[in-house]
Structure formats: structure tokens, C-alpha cells
Amino acid sequence: MVSEKTPATDFASARNDGLLRVHARFMQEALQQAREAAEQGEVPVGAVVVLGDAVIGRGRNGPVARRDPTAHAEVLALREAAQHLGNYRLEDCTLYVTLEPCAMCSGAMLHARVKRVVYGAAEPKTGAAGSVLDVFGYPQINHQTEVVRGVLEAECTALMADFFRQRRQENKARDRVLEPHPLKDTALRSSARAFAGLQHWPWQPQWRSDLPALAGLRMAVVDEGPQDAATTWLCLHGGPAWGYAFRHEIAAWTAAGQRVVVPDLPGFGRSDRPKKDKAHSAAWHAEVLAELVQALDLREVVLVGQGDGARLGLAVAERMPQRFRGAWLVDAWPLAAQPDKRRQWFEQAARKPSWNVGEALQALEGKTGGAAEQQAWNAPFAEPGHRAALKAWPRVQAELPAVPAQLLAQWAERQRLWLQPDASGKLVTQKEWQSAWLQAVPQLARHARVWRLNQSATAVPAAAQDMARSAVEYFAA
């Protein structure tokens, strides 16, 4: 016969003063275990197993030190109690724990036939005693464990909060010592771990926070090859990409002895990202790039612009045409009004907080680059709150200045211009794209060599590097 479900009890609403004192006494024992865990750098969770009036098992969180994902405080306390009794069944025992147990620990308590579990602070992310799951709340299970919630809840919660506050302060202090570019309170910074070991990406950035327009933000800039090279390739990504878009071209151009400069726009890649989307504007991004070109004293520049990075780069080239030799523009839309499908794609990125950037980019390219490539595209957005640039981007697109028709016509005349559509044609057809460019710069109708049609700039590595080598011949001739 199935027994009835044992109800959970909220400590604050209980009326048995004697029982309250007992629960508080043993929860203090569990709190001591939690403090010892914190002293060892573990998340401060502590547990004790009580039989009658005696503690027969103690445990403190230890997954890090023990290199054991099961070394939760509850599991360790259960193990010690079982050894003490010489029996894995703990039928008359009560387990006290400072934090609501997870599914693993709750399951272990059920297997041990623990009579009662008493916890302090609720765990809204992984709690399995009522917060996220209620493992103890199924009457079909052949053993019923009573749950008491909220014992010394304020103390247990404060211990956790103090631990993570101190951890954040220590991390900031370490960053200030190791990193000459302190993080602004108005910005976020991606963890270096998110970008470690990415496929086809061996380059480390130079960090810039000295550009006036950055106002203290740290900007990641890959700068490879000799500074006095005959040609400098300035590679500018659009949203939601980052410098990884040019991974294959960097290798080809540096092998040819040329300089390659690949910045991550603020809010993207490894650069700092303002917390608020209002910080982003087309004028601001263009100013940052203009200051970077001047600070690095870039000359004989070929602009390699992908997506809206092409439009931002053209705004810079129009301001200082003497520094630029030409441009290779890939998937750049030249008109103020975006085609519906393209506009909707970027609006989707802006609206959906869980939008999978890597999956969406691979789907747009009509290929599956595998988990490694998807990881690289997702790396800048791996942490919560890092998507302000995505939210802002449809507005930034609307603010982009008109393309410099006269400068583009000059480059075309000198055979220093390549225009290449998105190879997939999913957001803009090749016909729509070419028509838009002819509308923006009618002089292009006389220059057949500017059109790089039906070729992908993000193809397999060998094809991408072949395109890069062809670009060297074209722009250096």
C-alpha cells in the first residue's frame, strides 16, 4: 500500500518552540561546516546527520579540492553517518543542510531512508526540495522524507552572499594587478576562458583603452605582420560576428609578409561591452575606428569589411582617404532601408535573449561548421547580460551614414574595389544586392571587375585562403 505524502514544513510558521530550538542548534553545526568550506575556497554549504541527540555525520562542500562532482556536503555527511552506523540505511536520522539540496543529494537521502531533511536557504536555480523540483513530494516513492524549510534562513543566505561578494572583490583586485585596463562599472568583460583554444584562432589581441572615444573601455585588436608592410588589411566585422570571421584570411596575408589589423568592435568579441544598449551608435563606432587607424598610423590600407563593418569602415575611409588604397566589401548593404528579411534577422537577434548566435550564423551560411565553430561564434555572448550590442544593432544600422559614392567610384576606376554578396542568398538575393549597389553608386555599372559573384568569403579554409591570395594580387598590382 502506498503511504501518504509527508508534508513539508516552513520553519517560520512552526509553533513547537522546543523543536525550533533543536533545529536551530543543529543548523548551527551545519553552518560551522559551511564556514570551513568557505575558508578552503569551496562554495559554503555544510551538513550534519543527527540521530537522537547526537551528530553522527558531518560534511562540507568539497567538489573542487576533491575533484569529485559528487562531493556535496550532504553526500559526505551521509557517508560518514553510514560508516558510523555500519549501515547504509539511516531511517531514524535527520539531515541538516544550510542550502536546499540538489536532485543528486535529494535522491541520496531517499535511498538512505533519511527520516527528515531540514534546510536553511532556498536554492532557486537547482533546489530539488520544492524550489525547482520537489523530489520528496512524490507519494508513489516507497519512502517518505519530511522536509523542513527555512531554519536560520537569514544566516545561511548571508553566508552564501558574503562568500560570493568576497569572491567578486578578489577577482576585481586580481584583475587590477594583472590587467592595466580596469573594467568600468558601466561595462562587462568576457572571461578569457571563453576564448581559449578556439579552432583556427591562435592570435592574441593587443589591448587598447587609450583611444578617447573608448572612454576607458578595453578594445581587443589583433595586429599581425610587419608595421612597414607594403599593404595593411584592416578587417572589420559586422554584428553579431567578431574578428574570428577573418581567421583564414589572417593566415594567408601574414604568410605573404603583409600586415593585418583585426579589431573587435566594442560590445563584440573580446572587447569590453557597455551594459546599456543606448551606448551604441554608428557615429561612436566609426569614431573609435577612426581613432584606431590614426593611433596605429595605418597606411596603404585595404578595408576588408564584413556586413555592417563595411559601412563603418567606409565612413572612416571617407574621412581620411589618403590612408586607404581600396576595399573588399562582403555582404554589405549600401542603402539606408534594409531588405525585410535582413532587417527581421537582426531584429530577432535583438529581441531574443537566448538567441543562439553560432547556430544562426551557421544556418545563414548554409553549412554546419561543427561544435567547435559554433563555440567560437557564441564565445562573446556566453555570459548573461552581454548582449546589449545585439539589442542595439538594428538601431545602429539605421544610423549608418550613406556610402561614399565618389570614393567607391574612384577605387573601382583604379581596380581597387571588390563587392561580394552573401553567398547563401537567404536574406538578400544576389539580384537585389547588385541592384542596390548600382542605385547607391551608378558608376559601378562600367566596372565589371568589382563584382565577386557566387563566391563565399567564409568557405572552407582552403577556399578562403585562395580568395585572400587572389586579393593580394588584385589590390597590390
Side-chain angles (χ1 to χ4, degrees):
M1 179 176 179
V2 176
S3 61
E4 294 183 0
K5 174 182 175 181
T6 303
T9 302
D10 288 322
F11 181 63
S13 63
R15 293 290 182 266
N16 188 326
D17 291 342
L19 185 58
L20 296 183
R21 285 193 294 272
V22 170
H23 285 340
R25 169 191 163 195
F26 288 117
M27 187 59 75
Q28 286 290 358
E29 295 264 2
L31 276 165
Q32 180 56 37
Q33 294 295 315
R35 294 185 188 101
E36 292 177 11
E39 290 173 0
Q40 296 180 2
E42 303 278 0
V43 174
V45 181
V48 295
V49 176
V50 175
L51 179 62
D53 197 40
V55 175
I56 62 170
R58 292 176 173 82
R60 57 178 178 266
N61 226 22
V64 177
R66 294 171 179 259
R67 298 179 179 85
D68 179 1
T70 70
H72 288 198
E74 302 95 306
V75 171
L76 298 179
L78 290 172
R79 289 174 181 169
E80 187 173 291
Q83 291 297 315
H84 178 85
L85 295 179
N87 190 343
Y88 75 96
R89 294 288 175 86
L90 307 175
E91 293 178 338
D92 294 320
C93 296
T94 297
L95 186 145
Y96 293 83
V97 60
T98 57
L99 185 68
E100 180 181 359
C102 67
M104 175 186 73
C105 295
S106 299
M109 294 175 207
L110 287 172
H111 283 298
R113 303 294 195 269
V114 169
K115 180 180 180 180
R116 182 185 300 108
V117 57
V118 181
Y119 73 81
E123 172 47 274
K125 294 183 179 180
T126 60
S131 290
V132 178
L133 302 173
D134 190 2
V135 173
F136 301 104
Y138 292 92
Q140 296 88 347
I141 294 176
N142 62 354
H143 172 77
Q144 300 303 302
T145 295
E146 179 188 351
V147 177
V148 179
R149 304 185 176 103
V151 175
L152 302 188
E153 180 177 10
E155 291 183 48
C156 295
T157 301
L159 181 61
M160 293 288 288
D162 288 345
F163 173 82
F164 285 109
R165 186 182 304 112
Q166 182 177 352
R167 179 71 63 85
R168 288 192 296 270
Q169 291 172 348
E170 290 172 351
N171 289 341
K172 287 182 179 179
R174 185 185 64 247
D175 289 344
R176 283 193 293 269
V177 172
L178 299 177
E179 175 54 66
H181 308 271
L183 179 62
K184 296 180 63 176
D185 292 339
T186 57
L188 298 170
R189 181 169 293 169
S190 292
S191 167
R193 293 189 298 273
F195 295 88
L198 296 182
Q199 188 179 50
H200 304 305
W201 190 256
W203 299 283
Q204 293 301 315
Q206 297 180 15
W207 301 110
R208 303 296 301 248
S209 57
D210 56 337
L211 307 179
L214 287 174
L217 293 176
R218 188 182 74 167
M219 187 178 189
V221 183
V222 168
D223 189 352
E224 297 288 329
Q227 294 191 2
D228 60 351
T231 302
T232 294
W233 303 86
L234 176 61
C235 303
L236 302 180
H237 68 83
W242 59 285
Y244 184 76
F246 305 101
R247 58 199 180 279
H248 303 309
E249 289 81 0
I250 296 173
W253 289 328
T254 54
Q258 299 186 341
R259 187 180 185 184
V260 187
V261 177
V262 188
D264 290 336
L265 297 178
F268 296 93
R270 290 163 296 180
S271 293
D272 286 353
R273 52 209 65 219
K275 292 179 181 179
K276 296 186 179 297
D277 59 281
K278 292 181 180 179
H280 292 273
S281 70
W284 176 57
H285 281 285
E287 180 62 26
V288 169
L289 293 171
E291 291 177 359
L292 179 67
V293 169
Q294 291 177 318
L296 295 177
D297 194 24
L298 302 185
R299 299 181 183 276
E300 297 298 326
V301 175
V302 176
L303 166 65
V304 186
Q306 178 261 334
D308 299 308
R311 295 282 298 276
L312 292 171
L314 287 174
V316 176
E318 187 175 29
R319 288 173 56 176
M320 46 189 78
Q322 72 281 2
R323 292 182 179 270
F324 285 79
R325 176 187 296 178
W328 176 10
L329 310 179
V330 181
D331 188 25
W333 183 255
L335 303 180
Q338 299 278 339
D340 287 344
K341 288 184 179 180
R342 194 173 193 271
R343 175 181 52 79
Q344 290 165 4
W345 193 84
F346 283 98
E347 287 178 350
Q348 179 180 225
R351 289 195 313 268
K352 297 183 178 180
S354 59
W355 193 69
N356 189 312
V357 173
E359 186 177 274
L361 285 173
Q362 288 182 348
L364 189 61
E365 293 175 1
K367 65 175 186 177
T368 55
E373 184 175 301
Q374 192 170 129
Q375 175 193 354
W377 289 125
N378 285 327
F381 310 106
E383 299 170 69
H386 283 217
R387 295 179 172 239
L390 296 185
K391 185 176 180 181
W393 211 247
R395 175 175 52 78
V396 172
Q397 288 176 324
E399 299 169 352
L400 290 169
V403 297
Q406 183 177 353
L407 180 61
L408 288 162
Q410 290 173 359
W411 286 343
E413 188 70 34
R414 299 170 188 166
Q415 297 188 15
R416 293 291 184 272
L417 178 65
W418 270 1
L419 299 175
Q420 185 171 337
D422 166 29
S424 72
K426 292 183 178 180
L427 302 184
V428 182
T429 67
Q430 185 170 290
K431 184 178 179 180
E432 289 174 323
W433 170 84
Q434 192 169 18
S435 176
W437 272 103
L438 289 173
Q439 181 180 338
V441 189
Q443 301 94 316
L444 296 178
R446 302 196 304 268
H447 303 286
R449 292 195 66 184
V450 305
W451 308 108
R452 305 296 295 180
L453 305 179
N454 300 319
Q455 298 186 54
S456 173
T458 54
V460 295
Q465 291 180 12
D466 283 345
M467 282 285 289
R469 286 189 284 269
S470 297
V472 171
E473 297 175 4
Y474 182 79
F475 287 96

